[in-house]
Amino acid sequence: MDPAEAEQNPEEKEYSAVCVGKEADIKKSGRMTAVVHDREVVIFYHRGEYHAMDIRCYHSGGPLHLGEIEDFDGRPCIVCPWHKFKITLATGEGLYQSVNPRDPSSKPKWCSKGIKQRIHTVTVEKGHIYVTLSKEPFKCDSDFYATGQYKVIQSSS
Ligand code: FES
């Protein structure tokens, strides 16, 4: 396969787990950033769980590592600092509020736009954090900012 083509199609690459730091450090800071196989990711430690996702927001490439974590509909989300889009930490779904137009007095409901941000796998071994990039065979909106011309970190090869 053409390497450029593989870069645009993450599901077609074989990725190994990459050590991104120490468990003790992320437990103190709550988050860290890393480059995993030339892809920028952010790793969050929230309520005893680890979550990794593409660092640039699926909407317009905002820096998710600078966002706040808040609960929406009982689901922890990163709130993008640029336009306040909400992304679930566990699944990468974009959440939005919807009002029934036939009943404007009803309470707005939280709804999902589906998976928009690519989520990666975090494992812990002997006090170190490892990230394995997602190979899920679907196009994710955040891929646009993680690959090609929007990718900030250039390959060293
Ligand atoms: Fe994240 Fe617009 S870039 S909400």
Side-chain angles (χ1 to χ4, degrees):
M1 176 189 307
D2 176 347
E5 187 182 327
E7 185 175 288
Q8 295 298 326
N9 299 294
E11 68 274 13
E12 294 177 25
K13 267 187 171 181
E14 281 299 318
Y15 293 120
S16 55
V18 171
C19 182
V20 296
K22 291 182 183 165
E23 192 177 17
D25 292 338
I26 194 172
K27 281 186 170 174
K28 265 191 227 149
S29 62
R31 60 187 66 188
M32 63 171 55
T33 62
V35 178
V36 178
H37 296 293
D38 292 334
R39 193 172 183 112
E40 289 179 293
V41 298
V42 56
I43 304 102
F44 296 106
Y45 178 71
H46 183 69
R47 293 185 190 142
E49 293 184 2
Y50 297 97
H51 306 276
M53 61 178 61
D54 287 343
I55 199 168
R56 299 194 176 280
C57 174
Y58 73 89
H59 176 229
S60 290
L64 294 181
H65 61 299
L66 302 179
E68 297 292 326
I69 295 175
E70 293 179 42
D71 279 6
F72 297 94
D73 204 24
R75 305 173 76 184
C77 295
I78 184 72
V79 180
C80 179
W82 281 8
H83 311 106
K84 309 300 178 197
F85 278 32
K86 289 108 176 104
I87 302 167
T88 61
L89 292 182
T91 62
E93 288 168 80
L95 298 188
Y96 68 100
Q97 277 195 305
S98 149
V99 178
N100 182 349
R102 294 193 185 122
D103 182 10
S105 64
S106 66
K107 276 181 90 175
K109 271 179 40 183
W110 284 102
C111 301
S112 172
K113 301 176 192 174
I115 297 172
K116 298 291 187 177
Q117 196 75 19
R118 190 171 286 277
I119 297 293
H120 307 288
T121 303
V122 181
T123 50
V124 182
E125 202 177 314
K126 295 181 182 166
H128 288 84
I129 305 288
Y130 292 82
V131 172
T132 306
L133 293 182
S134 157
K135 290 192 299 185
E136 290 299 319
F138 61 85
K139 290 287 180 196
C140 205
D141 289 5
S142 66
D143 292 343
F144 183 71
Y145 297 100
T147 57
Q149 64 176 312
Y150 286 92
K151 191 166 93 175
V152 171
I153 305 296
Q154 299 299 314
S155 169
S156 57
S157 59

mmCIF file of all heavy atoms in Angstrom, residues 63-85:
data_model
loop_
_atom_site.group_PDB
_atom_site.id
_atom_site.type_symbol
_atom_site.label_atom_id
_atom_site.label_comp_id
_atom_site.label_asym_id
_atom_site.label_seq_id
_atom_site.Cartn_x
_atom_site.Cartn_y
_atom_site.Cartn_z
ATOM 1 N N PRO A 63 -8.043 22.749 20.062
ATOM 2 C CA PRO A 63 -7.109 21.998 20.912
ATOM 3 C C PRO A 63 -7.824 21.396 22.132
ATOM 4 O O PRO A 63 -7.985 22.054 23.163
ATOM 5 C CB PRO A 63 -6.102 23.073 21.338
ATOM 6 C CG PRO A 63 -6.906 24.355 21.331
ATOM 7 C CD PRO A 63 -7.968 24.211 20.280
ATOM 8 N N LEU A 64 -8.191 20.144 22.043
ATOM 9 C CA LEU A 64 -8.990 19.535 23.111
ATOM 10 C C LEU A 64 -8.224 19.403 24.424
ATOM 11 O O LEU A 64 -8.837 19.349 25.492
ATOM 12 C CB LEU A 64 -9.503 18.157 22.663
ATOM 13 C CG LEU A 64 -10.511 18.191 21.510
ATOM 14 C CD1 LEU A 64 -10.963 16.787 21.165
ATOM 15 C CD2 LEU A 64 -11.710 19.074 21.845
ATOM 16 N N HIS A 65 -6.905 19.380 24.358
ATOM 17 C CA HIS A 65 -6.143 19.253 25.608
ATOM 18 C C HIS A 65 -6.281 20.505 26.478
ATOM 19 O O HIS A 65 -5.921 20.481 27.648
ATOM 20 C CB HIS A 65 -4.667 18.959 25.309
ATOM 21 C CG HIS A 65 -3.971 20.019 24.514
ATOM 22 N ND1 HIS A 65 -4.357 20.392 23.247
ATOM 23 C CD2 HIS A 65 -2.906 20.794 24.827
ATOM 24 C CE1 HIS A 65 -3.549 21.333 22.807
ATOM 25 N NE2 HIS A 65 -2.676 21.594 23.746
ATOM 26 N N LEU A 66 -6.833 21.583 25.913
ATOM 27 C CA LEU A 66 -7.022 22.811 26.686
ATOM 28 C C LEU A 66 -8.475 22.977 27.145
ATOM 29 O O LEU A 66 -8.833 24.003 27.721
ATOM 30 C CB LEU A 66 -6.610 24.038 25.840
ATOM 31 C CG LEU A 66 -5.158 24.025 25.339
ATOM 32 C CD1 LEU A 66 -4.871 25.268 24.503
ATOM 33 C CD2 LEU A 66 -4.192 23.942 26.515
ATOM 34 N N GLY A 67 -9.310 21.977 26.876
ATOM 35 C CA GLY A 67 -10.723 22.074 27.245
ATOM 36 C C GLY A 67 -10.977 21.619 28.679
ATOM 37 O O GLY A 67 -10.110 21.043 29.338
ATOM 38 N N GLU A 68 -12.194 21.905 29.137
ATOM 39 C CA GLU A 68 -12.625 21.474 30.480
ATOM 40 C C GLU A 68 -13.460 20.208 30.348
ATOM 41 O O GLU A 68 -14.155 20.032 29.346
ATOM 42 C CB GLU A 68 -13.496 22.564 31.136
ATOM 43 C CG GLU A 68 -12.788 23.879 31.372
ATOM 44 C CD GLU A 68 -11.693 23.778 32.426
ATOM 45 O OE1 GLU A 68 -11.860 22.994 33.380
ATOM 46 O OE2 GLU A 68 -10.665 24.467 32.260
ATOM 47 N N ILE A 69 -13.416 19.382 31.373
ATOM 48 C CA ILE A 69 -14.260 18.183 31.404
ATOM 49 C C ILE A 69 -15.502 18.484 32.241
ATOM 50 O O ILE A 69 -15.401 18.991 33.363
ATOM 51 C CB ILE A 69 -13.492 16.983 31.988
ATOM 52 C CG1 ILE A 69 -12.336 16.616 31.065
ATOM 53 C CG2 ILE A 69 -14.423 15.789 32.186
ATOM 54 C CD1 ILE A 69 -11.419 15.519 31.591
ATOM 55 N N GLU A 70 -16.662 18.217 31.647
ATOM 56 C CA GLU A 70 -17.937 18.419 32.354
ATOM 57 C C GLU A 70 -18.853 17.247 32.027
ATOM 58 O O GLU A 70 -18.708 16.616 30.986
ATOM 59 C CB GLU A 70 -18.629 19.706 31.877
ATOM 60 C CG GLU A 70 -17.909 20.986 32.237
ATOM 61 C CD GLU A 70 -18.656 22.210 31.703
ATOM 62 O OE1 GLU A 70 -19.898 22.251 31.796
ATOM 63 O OE2 GLU A 70 -17.985 23.097 31.160
ATOM 64 N N ASP A 71 -19.829 17.038 32.907
ATOM 65 C CA ASP A 71 -20.828 15.989 32.657
ATOM 66 C C ASP A 71 -22.021 16.576 31.910
ATOM 67 O O ASP A 71 -22.522 17.637 32.281
ATOM 68 C CB ASP A 71 -21.328 15.397 33.979
ATOM 69 C CG ASP A 71 -20.366 14.363 34.537
ATOM 70 O OD1 ASP A 71 -19.276 14.195 33.957
ATOM 71 O OD2 ASP A 71 -20.715 13.736 35.536
ATOM 72 N N PHE A 72 -22.472 15.873 30.892
ATOM 73 C CA PHE A 72 -23.704 16.220 30.181
ATOM 74 C C PHE A 72 -24.522 14.943 30.061
ATOM 75 O O PHE A 72 -24.001 13.926 29.580
ATOM 76 C CB PHE A 72 -23.404 16.816 28.795
ATOM 77 C CG PHE A 72 -22.649 18.104 28.881
ATOM 78 C CD1 PHE A 72 -21.274 18.120 28.794
ATOM 79 C CD2 PHE A 72 -23.316 19.304 29.106
ATOM 80 C CE1 PHE A 72 -20.553 19.297 28.911
ATOM 81 C CE2 PHE A 72 -22.606 20.493 29.234
ATOM 82 C CZ PHE A 72 -21.223 20.486 29.135
ATOM 83 N N ASP A 73 -25.749 15.006 30.523
ATOM 84 C CA ASP A 73 -26.606 13.821 30.515
ATOM 85 C C ASP A 73 -25.922 12.657 31.251
ATOM 86 O O ASP A 73 -26.042 11.506 30.836
ATOM 87 C CB ASP A 73 -26.931 13.441 29.062
ATOM 88 C CG ASP A 73 -28.224 12.645 28.965
ATOM 89 O OD1 ASP A 73 -29.066 12.764 29.874
ATOM 90 O OD2 ASP A 73 -28.370 11.886 27.984
ATOM 91 N N GLY A 74 -25.178 12.990 32.270
ATOM 92 C CA GLY A 74 -24.496 11.969 33.064
ATOM 93 C C GLY A 74 -23.267 11.373 32.405
ATOM 94 O O GLY A 74 -22.724 10.380 32.890
ATOM 95 N N ARG A 75 -22.815 11.983 31.310
ATOM 96 C CA ARG A 75 -21.657 11.439 30.588
ATOM 97 C C ARG A 75 -20.517 12.449 30.621
ATOM 98 O O ARG A 75 -20.696 13.597 30.180
ATOM 99 C CB ARG A 75 -22.056 11.132 29.134
ATOM 100 C CG ARG A 75 -23.267 10.220 29.049
ATOM 101 C CD ARG A 75 -23.737 10.068 27.631
ATOM 102 N NE ARG A 75 -22.845 9.175 26.896
ATOM 103 C CZ ARG A 75 -22.976 8.908 25.587
ATOM 104 N NH1 ARG A 75 -23.946 9.466 24.891
ATOM 105 N NH2 ARG A 75 -22.152 8.075 25.009
ATOM 106 N N PRO A 76 -19.340 12.040 31.107
ATOM 107 C CA PRO A 76 -18.201 12.966 31.101
ATOM 108 C C PRO A 76 -17.799 13.319 29.664
ATOM 109 O O PRO A 76 -17.637 12.430 28.824
ATOM 110 C CB PRO A 76 -17.085 12.184 31.795
ATOM 111 C CG PRO A 76 -17.724 10.998 32.413
ATOM 112 C CD PRO A 76 -18.992 10.733 31.668
ATOM 113 N N CYS A 77 -17.647 14.612 29.436
ATOM 114 C CA CYS A 77 -17.314 15.112 28.090
ATOM 115 C C CYS A 77 -16.169 16.108 28.186
ATOM 116 O O CYS A 77 -16.057 16.844 29.169
ATOM 117 C CB CYS A 77 -18.505 15.847 27.474
ATOM 118 S SG CYS A 77 -19.932 14.817 27.161
ATOM 119 N N ILE A 78 -15.365 16.167 27.129
ATOM 120 C CA ILE A 78 -14.426 17.269 26.983
ATOM 121 C C ILE A 78 -15.162 18.354 26.205
ATOM 122 O O ILE A 78 -15.839 18.063 25.207
ATOM 123 C CB ILE A 78 -13.111 16.829 26.283
ATOM 124 C CG1 ILE A 78 -12.120 17.985 26.233
ATOM 125 C CG2 ILE A 78 -13.340 16.255 24.912
ATOM 126 C CD1 ILE A 78 -11.500 18.320 27.579
ATOM 127 N N VAL A 79 -15.055 19.589 26.699
ATOM 128 C CA VAL A 79 -15.705 20.717 26.032
ATOM 129 C C VAL A 79 -14.625 21.458 25.267
ATOM 130 O O VAL A 79 -13.665 21.977 25.860
ATOM 131 C CB VAL A 79 -16.398 21.651 27.049
ATOM 132 C CG1 VAL A 79 -17.065 22.813 26.329
ATOM 133 C CG2 VAL A 79 -17.412 20.863 27.882
ATOM 134 N N CYS A 80 -14.757 21.506 23.965
ATOM 135 C CA CYS A 80 -13.726 22.152 23.142
ATOM 136 C C CYS A 80 -13.663 23.644 23.485
ATOM 137 O O CYS A 80 -14.688 24.314 23.560
ATOM 138 C CB CYS A 80 -14.047 21.963 21.658
ATOM 139 S SG CYS A 80 -12.823 22.765 20.589
ATOM 140 N N PRO A 81 -12.446 24.167 23.696
ATOM 141 C CA PRO A 81 -12.335 25.576 24.083
ATOM 142 C C PRO A 81 -12.693 26.552 22.960
ATOM 143 O O PRO A 81 -12.930 27.726 23.233
ATOM 144 C CB PRO A 81 -10.864 25.727 24.488
ATOM 145 C CG PRO A 81 -10.153 24.610 23.804
ATOM 146 C CD PRO A 81 -11.141 23.484 23.687
ATOM 147 N N TRP A 82 -12.750 26.109 21.714
ATOM 148 C CA TRP A 82 -13.025 27.050 20.623
ATOM 149 C C TRP A 82 -14.509 27.367 20.458
ATOM 150 O O TRP A 82 -14.906 28.507 20.480
ATOM 151 C CB TRP A 82 -12.458 26.500 19.321
ATOM 152 C CG TRP A 82 -10.968 26.715 19.200
ATOM 153 C CD1 TRP A 82 -10.116 27.195 20.178
ATOM 154 C CD2 TRP A 82 -10.149 26.482 18.050
ATOM 155 N NE1 TRP A 82 -8.831 27.246 19.711
ATOM 156 C CE2 TRP A 82 -8.820 26.827 18.413
ATOM 157 C CE3 TRP A 82 -10.402 25.992 16.787
ATOM 158 C CZ2 TRP A 82 -7.757 26.710 17.518
ATOM 159 C CZ3 TRP A 82 -9.335 25.878 15.895
ATOM 160 C CH2 TRP A 82 -8.033 26.238 16.258
ATOM 161 N N HIS A 83 -15.351 26.360 20.268
ATOM 162 C CA HIS A 83 -16.781 26.634 20.041
ATOM 163 C C HIS A 83 -17.676 25.832 20.974
ATOM 164 O O HIS A 83 -18.870 25.696 20.724
ATOM 165 C CB HIS A 83 -17.161 26.348 18.578
ATOM 166 C CG HIS A 83 -16.238 26.965 17.577
ATOM 167 N ND1 HIS A 83 -15.323 26.218 16.852
ATOM 168 C CD2 HIS A 83 -16.063 28.250 17.197
ATOM 169 C CE1 HIS A 83 -14.615 27.023 16.070
ATOM 170 N NE2 HIS A 83 -15.046 28.261 16.261
ATOM 171 N N LYS A 84 -17.080 25.264 21.999
ATOM 172 C CA LYS A 84 -17.824 24.589 23.090
ATOM 173 C C LYS A 84 -18.547 23.309 22.678
ATOM 174 O O LYS A 84 -19.528 22.929 23.318
ATOM 175 C CB LYS A 84 -18.809 25.560 23.759
ATOM 176 C CG LYS A 84 -18.199 26.870 24.200
ATOM 177 C CD LYS A 84 -17.093 26.667 25.215
ATOM 178 C CE LYS A 84 -16.449 27.983 25.631
ATOM 179 N NZ LYS A 84 -15.159 27.816 26.290
ATOM 180 N N PHE A 85 -18.130 22.670 21.618
ATOM 181 C CA PHE A 85 -18.709 21.368 21.289
ATOM 182 C C PHE A 85 -18.377 20.391 22.411
ATOM 183 O O PHE A 85 -17.294 20.469 23.005
ATOM 184 C CB PHE A 85 -18.161 20.843 19.957
ATOM 185 C CG PHE A 85 -18.832 21.404 18.742
ATOM 186 C CD1 PHE A 85 -19.348 22.689 18.716
ATOM 187 C CD2 PHE A 85 -18.945 20.638 17.592
ATOM 188 C CE1 PHE A 85 -19.965 23.204 17.582
ATOM 189 C CE2 PHE A 85 -19.561 21.131 16.446
ATOM 190 C CZ PHE A 85 -20.071 22.415 16.443
#
